[in-house]
Amino acid sequence: MTAHALAGALADDGRRRIFAAIVLGATSATEVAERAGLPARVVLTGVRRLTDAGLVTGADGALAADDASLRATARDSRPADAADPAADPVLRTFLRGDVLVGLPAQRGRRRVLLTHIAEQSFEPGTRYPERAVDDALKPWCAAGGSDHATLRRYLIDEQLLTREQGIYQRL
């Protein structure tokens, strides 16, 4: 199980309530339904989804949290901020996955980061209206490390994008 799968399995309020009831000692679907205050049909579907995700076991008909699977996920999953050790140290420092957590003050480091963003976001020679550029840059800014307008300005200042009459292009 991956951390992503774990989060997906517990994204639903009903499944969280079902999982909580099991963790707190409910061992049958009937007990889970009573403790979680959910209809039996919802509980059965939720238990199946949690079992498929590896969070719950139903050994001998008794429901239980799969502690071994949870421990393995915690041990094996890399934190969101762990980058590939072979990657550039600038990218490891300022990116968490594909999200910008800050902009380097040094121009050289900032250029490395901006080059990476430009290469990942824009195809060379393709012309983009400003809205498309903003839409491509907004996901990079999800953590609040910068804003898309600042990134767009830096990309132009570093000549990684050109702008002419509201149309942007990566060279």
Side-chain angles (χ1 to χ4, degrees), residues 124-145:
T126 302
R127 297 168 54 88
Y128 298 92
E130 187 168 310
R131 180 177 296 268
V133 172
D134 289 347
D135 289 344
L137 295 177
K138 283 179 183 177
W140 291 99
C141 303

Side-chain angles (χ1 to χ4, degrees), residues 86-142:
D88 188 293
V90 172
L91 300 181
R92 270 198 320 259
T93 302
F94 293 98
L95 291 177
R96 299 296 178 264
D98 287 336
V99 178
L100 185 64
V101 294
L103 280 173
Q106 281 184 311
R107 183 174 181 258
R109 288 182 176 197
R110 190 170 52 241
R111 177 141 178 111
V112 168
L113 184 65
L114 292 170
T115 299
H116 175 78
I117 291 171
E119 288 172 353
Q120 297 297 311
S121 302
F122 306 103
E123 292 295 321
T126 302
R127 297 168 54 88
Y128 298 92
E130 187 168 310
R131 180 177 296 268
V133 172
D134 289 347
D135 289 344
L137 295 177
K138 283 179 183 177
W140 291 99
C141 303

